[in-house]
Amino acid sequence: MKDDLYSQIIEDTAELVRRAAHPRKGTISLSPETAALLERIRVRPSVDPPVVAETPGDGVALLQALAAEVSECTKCDLCHSRTQTVFADGNPSADLVFVGEAPGYNEDQQGIPFVGRAGQLLTDIIVKGMKMRREDVYICNVIKCRPPENRDPTLEEKRQCESYLIRQLELVRPKVICALGGHAAKTLLQTDESTGHLRGKWHFYHGIPLRVTYHPAYLLRSPGEKSKTWDDIQEIMKVLSGEIAPEPPAGEKTLWD
Ligand code: SF4
């Protein structure tokens, strides 16, 4: 239904642009405001029918099959510059999924998300702060291939790759998602708001409670913000312990409902 709505918006916008266009050297002039509006309209990747795992073992096997599919993916140009794809790390039936934006140099070299100094800080948050093991959570990124020179992924790259994330979440079925940093949060929530505005409250990604916090790399540069991340992590721990259960907006179903 949502996809139909987005498609309708795109079609209506295209029709309005067609009607407003004046042929002039084959170009269409748009005001900066209209261009900004169009930039914000992002088509959700189509969500295939849920891939239902009959047993926990099925989920693991299906995730392995998906990882193999991703390793061969050539849907966007990032396939040309990657060393290897970076699919995920951790427990395939975890209650908590951390989602970052895209692999960096170390991740591209090792094929594992969140390694290097930022990855070590995330591990410290999990182990020392949450008293869990890194193997207890599931860690992945929106984008599975490293953008050259660590540039921001384009909208098209995100759109192409996000369908893999959705299928991962269908199979892992977490209770809660933690978006690490502004890029991941903006992609998942389709917003331009800053991390500062997004953190401190519950959001939902396809019906799954989502908390936004600062990226570990940012915390390395701004250690004064660590206490805010700890506040976010404590809210996530309340969901994991069953102390709270954020309710999605009426009518919003999870991927597997
Ligand atoms: S970034 Fe995603 S969509 Fe692009 S080639 Fe890699 S796996 Fe495929």
Side-chain angles (χ1 to χ4, degrees):
M1 186 57 132
K2 236 178 196 175
D3 289 343
D4 293 344
L5 182 60
Y6 278 101
S7 298
Q8 190 62 52
I9 291 171
I10 296 288
E11 278 175 25
D12 289 350
T13 306
E15 179 59 25
L16 285 171
V17 170
R18 265 196 299 274
R19 286 185 197 174
H22 299 287
R24 193 176 55 197
K25 295 182 184 173
T27 61
I28 297 173
S29 299
L30 293 178
S31 70
E33 292 78 13
T34 305
L37 180 66
L38 290 172
E39 179 74 6
R40 284 203 298 274
I41 298 174
R42 299 171 191 177
V43 183
R44 278 279 191 197
S46 60
V47 180
D48 296 329
V51 186
V52 179
E54 299 292 334
T55 68
D58 284 349
V60 173
L62 290 168
L63 279 166
Q64 286 172 344
L66 182 59
E69 180 185 333
V70 169
S71 72
E72 312 246 301
C73 178
T74 55
K75 286 199 293 182
C76 80
D77 284 345
L78 294 182
C79 70
H80 301 302
S81 52
R82 72 186 177 212
T83 302
Q84 58 194 313
T85 53
V86 180
F87 185 68
D89 190 29
N91 181 354
S93 52
D95 286 338
L96 170 60
V97 172
F98 286 99
V99 181
E101 177 73 358
Y105 174 80
N106 290 308
E107 289 77 13
D108 175 68
Q109 292 293 307
Q110 298 185 38
I112 302 170
F114 283 93
V115 290
R117 286 182 67 222
Q120 183 56 52
L121 180 53
L122 177 61
T123 303
D124 286 347
I125 290 170
I126 296 164
V127 175
K128 296 177 184 170
M130 305 180 79
K131 308 298 182 200
M132 297 171 74
R133 300 173 306 163
R134 183 169 156 125
E135 309 91 89
D136 292 332
V137 305
Y138 191 80
I139 304 170
C140 59
N141 288 302
V142 177
I143 298 277
K144 311 305 185 199
C145 302
R146 181 195 180 207
E149 309 304 323
N150 289 353
R151 66 158 170 76
D152 290 345
T154 65
L155 286 177
E156 180 59 15
E157 289 160 357
K158 291 178 191 174
R159 195 180 73 78
Q160 291 287 356
C161 210
E162 195 184 355
S163 61
Y164 293 132
L165 173 65
I166 290 172
R167 287 164 67 189
Q168 283 176 293
L169 294 171
E170 280 173 358
L171 292 166
V172 176
R173 299 190 174 201
K175 285 183 182 168
V176 58
I177 296 168
C178 180
L180 294 167
H183 289 305
K186 288 175 186 177
T187 302
L188 295 173
L189 299 174
Q190 300 200 356
T191 176
D192 288 326
E193 287 188 53
S194 67
T195 306
H197 277 99
L198 293 170
R199 58 167 299 281
K201 56 192 169 205
W202 285 105
H203 306 272
F204 294 87
Y205 181 72
H206 292 282
I208 307 167
L210 182 149
R211 202 82 183 181
V212 175
T213 197
Y214 292 111
H215 194 285
Y218 173 75
L219 294 177
L220 289 172
R221 297 192 303 272
S222 310
E225 302 284 37
K226 283 185 181 175
S227 63
K228 292 180 184 169
T229 290
W230 181 233
D231 291 343
D232 300 327
I233 294 296
Q234 284 181 305
E235 287 302 306
I236 288 169
M237 290 168 70
K238 287 180 188 171
V239 176
L240 296 176
S241 69
E243 186 180 337
I244 61 171
E247 283 289 326
E252 184 167 338
K253 294 182 176 178
T254 54
L255 288 165
W256 49 87
D257 283 337

